[in-house]
Amino acid sequence: MTSRESRDLDPADWSEFRRLAHAALDEVITHVQSIREKPVWQRAPDATRQRFEQPLPLGPRDLSDVLADVRTHVAPFATGNLHPRFMGWAHGAGTPTGMVAEMIAAGLNMNCGGRDHIGIDVERQIVRWMSEAFGYSEGASGLFLTGSSMANFLAVIVAKMNAIGVQTREAGLRRADAQLTAYTSAEAHSCIAQAMQLAGIGSEHLRKIETDSSGRMQPDILKAAIRADRAAGFLPFLVVATAGTVNTGAIDPLPDIARIAREDDLWFHVDGAIGALSVFSEPLKHLTAGIELSHSIALDFHKWGHVPYDAGFLLVKDGAAHKRAFASTAAYLQRSDRGLAAGETWPCDLGPDLSRGFRALKTWMTFETLGSDRIGDAILHTCELAGYLAERVRESAIFELKAPVALNIVCFGVKGASGGVNRNLVLDLHELGIAAPSWTTINGVDAIRCAIFNHRTTRSDLDLFMDAISDLAKRA
Ligand SMILES: *Cc1c(COP(=O)(O)O)cnc(C)c1O
């Protein structure tokens, strides 16, 4: 036993705790403020990794010592996505406000699965804002999830229940009259196929519709595939369009897909993980026209919205259909007409999570402090930067574009190169800490992929990146 009198887990000396906590906050603010001076990424050395192979500590250590470990062994080896020359995958950069919000949310430590407290209202505020932004009506519902992978999965579940009835929650798919089939494009994110697997329908029953040369789903091929499946006795139930593909940022023709979904009685879901938030930019808004015709939308505030990880979101137009797919009548989830258990619909009625953090606060604080115009402008700026980078590639004697630039994603590579040359250039840049693009495969050839999400990126960052990668390519 320790010599402490109290058996609670609070600090013994609050004023010492306050001093350390303030210093830690100062330090992380400095980290964000001076991010440009640091390498984009560096691999954690073996000694650092070994620090996290220790046995479970039985006794206490001073917070100051633990914070020193964080300073030495954690902070320098982060993902790198705060840095203006991080252009890999599809990562948001965060904001200092979001960081403070996370701290407050952790302090309040709300459980936002349900019950009558203000966290639920804050989340509903975001649902209302998003309903308005995407042209959904009053009855829409929504909830925060880890990311769009989960949001897309939940959309598949809601669409499935809508097609074959809620009795299949108990009876399972074997009682369904026909084999369900769903449709998405060949460029859709892999989480759509996984959602079909998790939903028990099977990814074999997801038809991957061919895309045009810009990476967009071809509506006539979609229509023909649905027809052929119906003729063969399948039950087409869902089409998933992508607003911003992960490879190139392509946006499927949403109005055409909406029309086909209506004609063929399919649930129309939009994976807007990347592109949905572009509605906040007036000049970009037209790109996602037709999104208001969808039945549901998945999006990520942690990507272009720069809310700190994680902040995925699902919006469903028909809130009642959404609730039917998940609500449960367990005794410990009973509602009351007053007290802490009041409220008709709780977030736990809209998804499988019961214990949930307060993701809504950091999202609300981000929109409140910046305003949607400024978020939209940062989104527009990254698209303009992508245009600038594409221009530099076109002017280059070494590189060529590998795909059209739709939004903020530029795919390019060494002219005529093969055999992983582009991938190696990317990995060299990572290890030098200069920039962090990613790589992908487009029409069977490897390409350097720059996804410019970061609100801190400038033209001079792109110049520095292009100069560095050109030097490396010349030396290779
Ligand atoms: C990132 C992404 C996903 C997955 O979202 P997570 O938030 O990473 O789970 C799905 N679809 C697209 C188009 C994406 O870009």
Side-chain angles (χ1 to χ4, degrees), residues 169-180:
R169 284 182 62 174
E170 279 110 39
L173 277 176
R174 294 189 66 172
R175 298 267 195 88
D177 294 336
Q179 174 62 56
L180 294 165

Side-chain angles (χ1 to χ4, degrees), residues 90 147-150 152 189 191 242 244-246 271 273-274 300 302-303:
S148 283
S149 303
M150 282 304 285
N152 286 321
H189 194 276
C191 69
T242 308
T245 60
V246 68
D271 177 3
I274 288 182
D300 276 333
H302 54 225
K303 287 179 177 169

Side-chain angles (χ1 to χ4, degrees), residues 75-88:
F77 310 108
T79 323
N81 49 317
L82 277 67
H83 198 285
R85 285 191 301 281
F86 184 99
M87 305 174 234

